Amino acid sequence: MTAKRRGAQLVMLAFAVAIVMVAYASVGLGRNGQVPAGMLTYGLGLGGLMLAAYFVLAKFAPWADPLVLPLVTLVNGLGLVMIYRIEQSAPKLASASNQLFWTALGVVMFSVTLIVLRDHRALQRMTYTAGFVGLGLLILPLLPLLGKEINGARIWIGVGGFSIQPGEFAKLALVIFFAGYLVAKRDVLALAGRRLLLIDLPRARDLGPVLITWVVSVGVLVMEKDLGTSLLLFGAFIAMLYIATQRTSWVLIGVLLFIGGAFVAGQLFSHVGARFDVWLNPSSQALYERDFGSSYQLMQGLFGMGSGGILGTGLGQGHPDLIPLSFSDFIFPATGEELGLTGLMALLMVYALIVERGLRTAIAARDPFSKLLAGGISFILAWQVFIIVGGVTNLIPLTGLVTPFMSQGGSALLANWILIALLVRMSDAARRPPPQAIQDEGLTQVFQR
């Protein structure tokens, strides 16, 4: 049964790489009527990387969900195609070769995680260590000599000639901390206090963890000017708290706390207020033309998606150079211009399938820690996609997050590949049959031969 599953996974992986190569060829044909000269290099590079990841997965996690790796390969590959496409119009900003390098490093991190972490339950013993590491990573950009402010946000640190976004790795550590902490405290947090409007409120003495997480998230919002990470981490904690306790009241308290904190921050701090002004009235001429916190990039993204229509202009035939940060924060609108609403819906369906496989892993997990960790990772991926898509479509204020596996940059790509490795490891543990069943299956195959 395992051999059949791995064979099907290899076929799906080859199909995902084939789709990426067809898209790559379409860029060249759309721009100048010729297949790109570097198509073979990128094709062999991406195919070789994913084949290596496949062999590591087959060796060290043979019972893992066979759909996850092909789905992630497809999204990562389409991101490479779009960055290559943007590079043709803005060569000084985008670099497909650099993104392929970071993809290779991400696959290495994916493989190392699977090889080193044979039992993910060992992470539960590192609950508080992971919490301290996560907080430390969030604080790093605030250090005077190490932190760097780019595009108005202080979320980077400079290491040599490279810039790293430690918040991307902080989410890894903090989701492990959240899972371990909530497993240990879920019975206490699930206790009900007073009843208000058909909802059982938690006891006042149990509000401490939520308030501490809220203070940290507001601190990230105010000190680092990073609405995205603030919303991502606080949302992940509230979602995992709900999974652990099944108490709707925690969700309501979390929503009210974040809305209240964001409102107060918007009144007191100009960089937060500017985001809300743009969200409420992006078409205002005054906001469109102002120097600080303008709506220019948001409107350009909306114009791009609008010009793409239902089917898009076609790969290589749009104008992604007119959209600021089309290679990173706004790669989703750039993709919408050339693939249209149909292409964006297909892309969102791929993301939805990745999240669905993660949630299925959480349901199948055999211990509370695995359930919470798999559920938290799945929520982080879904929440991040919602935040970035909601921001560029003006459903919610812009946050500065990037589209997972698609946007150019190393920090987010590496962190997300490690998240996928953790999900694959838990999937292997959840789907692995008992030892006796594996032995019986092996004997059956011997007799059949």
Side-chain angles (χ1 to χ4, degrees), residues 96-276:
S97 58
N98 284 348
Q99 187 70 357
L100 185 60
F101 166 77
W102 286 114
T103 299
L105 198 54
V107 171
V108 169
M109 298 302 294
F110 170 86
S111 302
V112 169
T113 303
L114 286 181
I115 294 170
V116 174
L117 188 65
R118 300 298 181 90
D119 186 356
H120 64 278
R121 291 172 296 183
L123 296 174
Q124 188 173 2
R125 298 194 294 269
M126 303 170 60
T127 295
Y128 291 97
T129 301
F132 284 118
V133 169
L135 289 176
L137 289 171
L138 288 178
I139 294 172
L140 278 180
L142 297 176
L143 299 182
L145 299 178
L146 196 60
K148 297 174 62 177
E149 184 169 325
I150 300 177
N151 295 327
R154 194 176 179 86
I155 58 176
W156 303 85
I157 60 173
V159 180
F162 295 94
S163 294
I164 300 174
Q165 195 172 342
E168 292 291 342
F169 300 96
K171 69 184 181 185
L172 286 168
L174 290 175
V175 75
I176 294 171
F177 166 70
F178 293 158
Y181 176 82
L182 291 173
V183 165
K185 303 295 183 180
R186 62 175 182 168
D187 292 337
V188 174
L189 294 172
L191 293 176
R194 295 183 178 182
R195 191 173 181 83
L196 178 65
L197 298 177
L198 304 180
I199 297 176
D200 293 323
L201 297 176
R203 300 180 304 175
R205 72 186 73 171
D206 299 327
L207 287 174
V210 176
L211 292 176
I212 292 173
T213 309
W214 175 73
V215 169
V216 171
S217 65
V218 172
V220 171
L221 172 63
V222 172
M223 302 298 294
E224 299 184 1
K225 305 178 184 178
D226 187 7
L227 178 60
T229 300
S230 174
L231 183 57
L232 182 69
L233 294 179
F234 190 69
F237 179 73
I238 295 300
M240 294 175 72
L241 182 56
Y242 173 74
I243 294 173
T245 64
Q246 300 296 304
R247 292 290 184 188
T248 307
S249 54
W250 284 119
V251 178
L252 297 177
I253 291 172
V255 170
L256 291 175
L257 281 174
F258 192 85
I259 291 176
F263 176 78
V264 173
Q267 299 298 313
L268 297 179
F269 303 99
S270 60
H271 63 275
V272 180
R275 293 286 181 94
F276 283 96

Side-chain angles (χ1 to χ4, degrees), residues 55-69:
F55 282 126
V56 171
L57 191 149
K59 173 67 175 178
F60 295 98
W63 296 94
D65 193 314
L67 274 177
V68 174
L69 183 60

